[in-house]
Amino acid sequence: DAKTTQPTSMDCAEGRAANLPCNHSTISGNEYVYWYRQIHSQGPQYIIHGLKNNETNEMASLIITEDRKSSTLILPHATLRDTAVYYCIVRVQAGANSKLTFGKGITLSVRP
Amino acid sequence: DAGVTQSPTHLIKTRGQQVTLRCSPKSGHDTVSWYQQALGQGPQFIFQYYEEEERQRGNFPDRFSGHQFPNYSSELNVNALLLGDSALYLCASSLWRAQAFFGQGTRLTVV
């Protein structure tokens, strides 16, 4: 079973920041938080991952709470092309349990 | 860099038949994982191959088997197809400790 809890859906206006929450209250010390997204009928796309520090790349920012029990993915300026299902996943980096366990994700709809 | 490529893109098979799906990993990647995604669901892990051996396996029956070749490419085989095997089959490649990159998938329809 997935170790994360996400809302089913959310929407935001184009050009505004989209803040996608994720709860992972049972996360272990060696598990990372990963975010992937899946645009309709395509394969999942890697966005970002982190262990305990906040991370930023060209796509998004990842904010992880100090107790690591929740995180937020931030798309700073959402566009219509960001409409997708976003998956929050906790995972060890390597070894016997390094598979990705997907839940149902959160459907983000960006409106014009 | 071609990324992860899967073939074929679409496939229709009859119940009881066997199917083979193929995956070429991203250049430099040595690990291949396979996922099944039913309509409206998130991808479900089938198994992972590294150094030509199955390293991890999800909760799938023995009808699902795989292989990894010396060039790191991989095949997923499904025997005795059931209607419930209809799904999008995704291949992901990675280096052992790094993030996985997915292909566009093979849409399998069993009739």
Side-chain angles (χ1 to χ4, degrees):
Chain A
D1 292 335
K3 297 182 178 180
T4 63
T5 304
Q6 300 177 257
T8 303
S9 63
M10 66 176 293
D11 62 23
C12 76
E14 189 176 21
R16 304 298 294 267
N19 297 315
L20 285 68
C22 180
N23 287 322
H24 31 80
S25 58
T26 61
I27 191 170
S28 301
N30 64 343
E31 287 181 317
Y32 287 68
V33 179
Y34 278 74
W35 283 84
Y36 281 78
R37 73 179 182 183
Q38 189 172 24
I39 297 170
H40 183 63
S41 296
Q42 297 183 19
Q45 177 189 23
Y46 166 79
I47 301 173
I48 199 168
H49 75 282
L51 182 61
K52 53 184 177 181
N53 297 322
N54 298 337
E55 302 287 345
T56 295
N57 63 19
E58 65 280 3
M59 290 183 67
S61 295
L62 173 61
I63 308 298
I64 303 174
T65 58
E66 192 169 344
D67 63 7
R68 302 211 321 124
K69 292 184 177 183
S70 65
S71 61
T72 301
L73 178 74
I74 301 173
L75 307 179
H77 305 285
T79 71
L80 298 179
R81 289 175 296 178
D82 292 322
T83 292
V85 178
Y86 288 76
Y87 297 98
C88 171
I89 300 166
V90 295
R91 164 191 187 241
V92 295
Q93 278 288 63
N97 294 312
S98 62
K99 64 184 179 184
L100 293 167
T101 301
F102 289 82
K104 293 191 174 182
I106 178 172
T107 300
L108 173 67
S109 300
V110 181
R111 61 181 187 275
Chain B
D1 184 0
V4 180
T5 58
Q6 293 186 241
S7 63
T9 55
H10 295 83
L11 199 55
I12 300 175
K13 287 288 189 178
T14 303
R15 190 170 47 183
Q17 285 188 314
Q18 179 265 344
V19 68
T20 298
L21 310 182
R22 295 177 175 82
C23 173
S24 293
K26 186 176 170 67
S27 178
H29 285 184
D30 58 8
T31 302
V32 173
S33 301
W34 287 92
Y35 292 79
Q36 179 196 66
Q37 186 173 24
L39 205 59
Q41 303 295 317
Q44 299 299 306
F45 175 76
I46 303 175
F47 43 53
Q48 181 184 82
Y49 278 83
Y50 173 68
E51 293 185 337
E52 302 180 49
E53 291 188 12
E54 185 182 291
R55 300 290 180 165
Q56 301 179 58
R57 188 178 183 91
N59 188 25
F60 280 81
D62 292 344
R63 297 187 297 109
F64 290 77
S65 63
H67 190 77
Q68 185 179 35
F69 299 94
N71 67 352
Y72 306 121
S73 67
S74 177
E75 290 182 349
L76 164 65
N77 300 291
V78 186
N79 294 322
L81 283 167
L82 303 174
L83 296 179
D85 295 332
S86 295
L88 179 67
Y89 287 85
L90 295 159
C91 171
S93 76
S94 63
L95 286 173
W96 185 236
R97 289 180 179 271
Q99 65 269 23
F101 291 84
F102 284 80
Q104 294 305 297
T106 295
R107 174 72 63 186
L108 172 65
T109 302
V110 182
V111 298

